Amino acid sequence: MASAKQLTLSLVKPGDEPVAGNREDSHSVQPSPWMARVLSRDNLNRALKQVRRNKGAPGIDGMTVDELPDYLRRHWPEIRQQLLQQTYRPKPVRRVTIPKANGGSRPLGIPTVLDRFIQQAIAQVIQQDWELRFHPRSYGFRPGRSAHQAVRYGQQCAREGRNWVVDLDLEAFFDRVNHDRLMARLKRHTPDKPLLRLINRYLKAGVQIDHHKELTPEGVPQGGPLSPVLANVVLDELDWELERRNLKFARYADDCQIYVGSRCAGERVMVSLTRFIEDSLRLTVNTRKSAVDRPWNRSFLGFTLSRKGQRLKVADKAITKLKTQIRNLSRRTRGHSLA
DNA sequence: TGTCACGCTAC
RNA sequence: CUUGUAGCGUGACA
């Protein structure tokens, strides 16, 4: 079995940096600056490692992550060529529905392992472009940041006297991302035509249902390696709008809390922000789950802030979840040892 | 440094 | 057997 290192080294020749004065012919296309970064040896190496490490299930073509290295060894040169010539077409995603904790269901969109590999390579580049531009109070899906840090900041706001919170929840956030808004926003710090075109093709790749594909005019697939960073690019617009209004907030994916000093201010913010999100971002605010309330009445990322703003409490929901898990675990191990 | 489990948050 | 992805955390091993 060939090691991952050996494999990618043979996949990508050192010549992927443009050679000066290289004559253009039909067999070699000069990569655009961003495509060169996506297709660089080191970046592809990291991407392949990540996809294999996840050990995820196959997409519509049935190819497993263990089969991917062998497939790439045979087909990567032509795929790479298609990517450079902008003729590559991603496969539609596979639809799998999984239950959510609150009783609902979550539609996953599982790309083929090849597309997960390419998306991962793109995601690593996009993340580089955007990480420093993202708002400091955006905590979800970002390296070096955690839910704990988001909650700690909320606690600090409450301690400083902002004892009211606007708790915003967006409806089916990933599934309703507006493609035009996303692409326009993406162009700001990733101004590369070929790469943007490829990303747009991933957005429009569709979902395979039986034998035909269903269009995806909106949304990013829940299950694509690229989706989290794209989600942050969309909501980056919200972050800087909040900043412009001098509001204190913490956001983790679509879960956003804004800390204000009075109920009145909270109501005002809720109304105007709902309009901004629906008009400008083209997203829907979930009015059932959103609310203006005191921080100690709401749970945020599995925690609730205590009344004095000095302590963090693990939310009741998280406690009961843990308890049932422990019960199940002890019952199961007991059963096994008896049998 | 690197590999492998497990847990939590989010979609 | 079915279930994808990102981030963080704990532990183990070398």
Side-chain angles (χ1 to χ4, degrees):
Chain A
M1 182 114 174
S3 74
K5 189 175 180 183
Q6 265 179 321
L7 174 67
T8 38
L9 284 175
S10 64
L11 282 176
V12 187
K13 293 188 213 99
D16 51 3
E17 261 128 1
V19 180
N22 196 12
R23 193 164 298 276
E24 190 181 324
D25 58 63
S26 58
H27 296 292
S28 80
V29 178
Q30 290 303 319
S32 65
W34 267 261
M35 287 305 288
R37 289 166 64 197
V38 170
L39 298 173
S40 77
R41 181 187 52 85
D42 188 64
N43 193 57
L44 292 175
N45 227 326
R46 272 207 296 151
L48 181 61
K49 243 194 222 163
Q50 180 61 26
V51 172
R52 297 190 74 189
R53 165 161 55 224
N54 283 339
K55 302 184 195 317
I60 56 163
D61 60 357
M63 191 190 297
T64 65
V65 286
D66 289 331
E67 288 161 1
L68 179 61
D70 218 62
Y71 177 83
L72 288 178
R73 187 159 31 230
R74 279 174 296 153
H75 293 106
W76 180 246
E78 58 179 278
I79 294 164
R80 184 189 150 81
Q81 205 64 4
Q82 287 169 16
L83 289 167
L84 289 173
Q85 290 166 350
Q86 304 182 56
T87 55
Y88 180 79
R89 299 256 168 209
K91 300 265 187 296
V93 295
R94 184 163 65 91
R95 172 68 80 236
V96 170
T97 309
I98 61 168
K100 276 203 285 193
N102 64 21
S105 67
R106 157 169 285 115
L108 296 180
I110 304 172
T112 65
V113 290
L114 171 62
D115 283 322
R116 295 213 292 272
F117 167 60
I118 299 168
Q119 278 193 40
Q120 179 66 34
I122 297 170
Q124 287 163 6
V125 169
I126 301 290
Q127 200 163 61
Q128 253 179 14
D129 291 344
W130 284 78
E131 191 48 42
L132 294 174
R133 322 273 190 163
F134 281 145
H135 196 281
R137 299 311 169 205
S138 159
Y139 292 93
F141 309 135
R142 292 182 59 187
R145 286 156 177 267
S146 66
H148 199 123
Q149 290 172 344
V151 174
R152 195 188 302 151
Y153 178 74
Q155 178 188 31
Q156 187 191 312
C157 290
R159 207 175 326 132
E160 287 167 356
R162 295 181 144 84
N163 282 325
W164 287 88
V165 62
V166 181
D167 199 332
L168 270 181
D169 185 273
L170 305 183
E171 217 167 284
F173 166 51
F174 267 41
D175 297 325
R176 304 225 172 131
V177 165
N178 183 283
H179 289 180
D180 292 337
R181 283 284 155 178
L182 168 57
M183 295 308 294
R185 191 81 195 170
L186 201 51
K187 192 152 50 177
R188 283 167 109 103
H189 299 125
T190 310
D192 188 87
K193 261 278 180 59
L195 180 56
L196 289 173
R197 196 167 169 198
L198 179 58
I199 292 169
N200 195 52
R201 283 181 177 175
Y202 271 108
L203 297 177
K204 305 290 187 197
V207 185
Q208 186 83 2
I209 304 289
D210 296 325
H211 258 282
H212 61 97
K213 88 171 176 194
E214 209 162 88
L215 298 178
T216 44
E218 60 176 15
V220 292
Q222 300 189 40
L226 189 51
S227 299
V229 69
L230 293 186
N232 272 337
V233 168
V234 170
L235 290 190
D236 184 56
E237 196 171 343
L238 172 63
D239 296 340
W240 292 108
E241 175 64 17
L242 292 168
E243 178 68 37
R244 200 180 64 75
R245 299 184 187 195
N246 286 317
L247 293 166
K248 303 281 184 195
F249 71 98
R251 183 177 68 77
Y252 193 104
D254 75 328
D255 210 340
C256 186
Q257 288 204 337
I258 300 139
Y259 306 95
V260 295
S262 68
R263 171 180 279 278
C264 178
E267 304 284 7
R268 217 162 2 92
V269 166
M270 175 66 94
V271 170
S272 65
L273 232 44
T274 300
R275 187 171 308 130
F276 174 81
I277 288 166
E278 305 200 329
D279 292 355
S280 203
L281 258 42
R282 297 288 167 79
L283 288 163
T284 318
V285 173
N286 187 340
T287 46
R288 327 212 82 195
K289 288 211 222 157
S290 303
V292 178
D293 205 336
R294 313 229 69 149
W296 50 84
N297 291 331
R298 311 283 305 177
S299 93
F300 182 46
L301 308 174
F303 294 89
T304 66
L305 307 182
S306 77
R307 190 176 290 260
K308 295 185 176 178
Q310 281 159 14
R311 262 202 282 178
L312 279 182
K313 245 188 74 177
V314 176
D316 291 345
K317 218 163 82 180
I319 298 255
T320 48
K321 183 177 172 182
L322 188 69
K323 278 183 179 168
T324 57
Q325 271 182 351
I326 292 169
R327 254 199 301 278
N328 289 344
L329 200 71
S330 59
R331 222 190 336 210
R332 228 183 297 153
T333 51
R334 206 177 282 225
H336 274 303
S337 61
L338 285 172

